Amino acid sequence: MTDWAAKIEELTFRRNAVILVHNYQVESVQLAAGHLGDSLGLSRVAAEVEADVIVFCGVKFMAETAKILSPRKTVLLPRLDAGCPMADMITLDDLRHLKARYPDATVVTYVNSSAEIKAESDVCCTSANAVEVVRNVEGRRVIFVPDRNLGAWAARQVPEKEVILFEGYCYVHDRIRREEVEAARKAYPGAEVLVHPEAPMEVLELADAVCSTGGMLRHVAASPAREFVVATEEGLLERLRRENPHRSFFSAGRPKICSNMKRTSLGDVVAALELNRYEIEIDVETIRGAQVALRRMLDYAG
């Protein structure tokens, strides 16, 4: 069997590369990470890391974000077919129509979006800081794209703002059902229920804590609970179990899997480093516009 880990270590050193891995990746890829985290944490790393090459094990919008924040670096996406259906749900025409209809609104765009949509936005956010961004942007009216569920959660936390939602969604989190969470709570009555804010509102209302993936990791570290029901993509539960071996973690219903996040293998990481594939390229004008929105996002905590 190929020793992928040794090969990756050698190639990473030779190319002065860093491997950024999202929490939803398969466990073998998680274990190869130079940095493992959520979108906000990895965005901060991409903006600051000292490396010539960034290999982003995630989906396309994440690699684009890294390129926007570090345009002089080579950014590689090991699988070209690792896309995000939610990011593809909104077009420039959709966003421009909303801006024309609500010209006084501030456009807050979830980082799960294309570079072109970011460039048309005032500020980006992640699931970790969406509420803070909506609360603190100027003006009373906000256009929030593309995730209706995350936008609705932010709107509930910031009732003084009028939040106009776009009807996009994460197909993984949108499938989490109230009945699944209720059944899991009955099955594990002592467990804390953690829910990702991309889930529908009726599910969020059942949570003990609504958190990004990074927020879930921090919540577990600070909690006295020994059992947790976790309503998010299964990759995070693998990390939680690995890092907290004396605690128990249960899916809310059947495990939720993002097929796009699971495409990347260690062999793909090696091929990316050996063959320089697949390099992310974004035109200068789009980078400049998107940088403004992403830099503003990084000013917020999460």
Side-chain angles (χ1 to χ4, degrees):
M1 179 179 290
T2 303
D3 187 350
W4 293 122
K7 186 70 172 176
I8 289 169
E9 184 177 3
E10 185 269 325
L11 287 166
T12 300
F13 177 78
R14 189 201 318 164
R15 296 205 59 187
N16 188 27
V18 62
I19 300 173
L20 306 187
V21 179
H22 192 271
N23 290 318
Y24 295 160
Q25 292 286 293
V26 297
E27 188 169 36
S28 59
V29 175
Q30 289 187 28
L31 293 171
H35 296 272
L36 175 63
D38 63 5
S39 293
L40 182 59
L42 294 177
S43 293
R44 288 183 169 138
V45 172
E48 299 170 359
V49 69
E50 295 293 333
D52 296 323
V53 178
I54 295 173
V55 180
F56 210 119
C57 300
V59 291
K60 186 180 180 183
F61 79 79
M62 296 178 179
E64 286 183 341
T65 298
K67 182 65 176 180
I68 292 162
L69 292 170
S70 294
R72 291 184 176 86
K73 292 182 172 63
T74 297
V75 178
L76 305 175
L77 178 67
R79 288 290 297 243
L80 199 58
D81 56 353
C84 173
M86 176 165 59
D88 296 335
M89 289 178 186
I90 186 166
T91 66
L92 276 176
D93 284 344
D94 292 328
L95 181 51
R96 287 169 177 167
H97 174 75
L98 283 169
K99 291 174 70 172
R101 186 174 178 185
Y102 304 101
D104 62 330
T106 300
V107 178
V108 176
T109 293
Y110 192 20
V111 74
N112 297 35
S113 56
S114 70
E116 291 75 18
I117 296 297
K118 291 180 176 72
E120 193 77 14
S121 308
D122 295 306
V123 58
C124 288
C125 71
T126 69
S127 54
N129 67 6
V131 172
E132 186 176 359
V133 171
V134 170
R135 178 177 290 119
N136 288 286
V137 293
E138 293 184 1
R140 193 185 69 83
R141 180 176 280 173
V142 171
I143 294 170
F144 192 101
V145 299
D147 187 354
R148 66 190 181 201
N149 293 330
L150 179 60
W153 174 248
R156 175 168 288 198
Q157 306 311 302
V158 191
E160 64 271 22
K161 296 288 179 79
E162 178 189 357
V163 181
I164 295 107
L165 302 176
F166 183 78
E167 284 297 308
Y169 57 91
C170 168
Y171 80 93
V172 177
H173 291 97
D174 201 60
R175 290 176 177 170
I176 301 171
R177 293 289 171 261
R178 182 183 186 92
E179 295 77 17
E180 292 181 299
V181 178
E182 289 174 335
R185 193 183 281 283
K186 288 180 181 178
Y188 310 105
E192 287 192 346
V193 176
L194 311 182
V195 180
H196 194 281
E198 288 179 7
M201 186 61 70
E202 65 175 13
V203 175
L204 299 178
E205 290 171 343
L206 298 176
D208 294 311
V210 176
C211 312
S212 67
T213 57
M216 289 179 180
L217 290 162
R218 292 189 294 273
H219 182 94
V220 168
S223 174
R226 309 309 298 170
E227 295 184 332
F228 300 85
V229 171
V230 183
T232 191
E233 210 276 345
E234 191 68 11
L236 183 72
L237 279 83
E238 293 173 352
R239 179 177 178 182
L240 285 165
R241 291 173 182 134
R242 185 171 68 247
E243 296 180 0
N244 300 274
H246 302 300
R247 298 186 178 191
S248 298
F249 300 91
F250 309 102
S251 300
R254 297 176 65 180
K256 305 300 184 290
I257 304 295
C258 175
S259 60
N260 290 278
M261 280 287 191
K262 303 306 188 196
R263 295 185 194 280
T264 305
S265 68
L266 291 177
D268 294 322
V269 177
V270 168
L273 287 163
E274 285 187 326
L275 305 174
N276 214 52
R277 72 182 194 193
Y278 295 92
E279 185 169 358
I280 298 296
E281 297 181 352
I282 305 170
D283 68 83
V284 173
E285 184 177 351
T286 299
I287 285 178
R288 286 175 179 164
Q291 274 182 339
V292 174
L294 284 170
R295 295 288 180 186
R296 288 172 178 166
M297 175 188 81
L298 296 179
D299 289 338
Y300 293 91

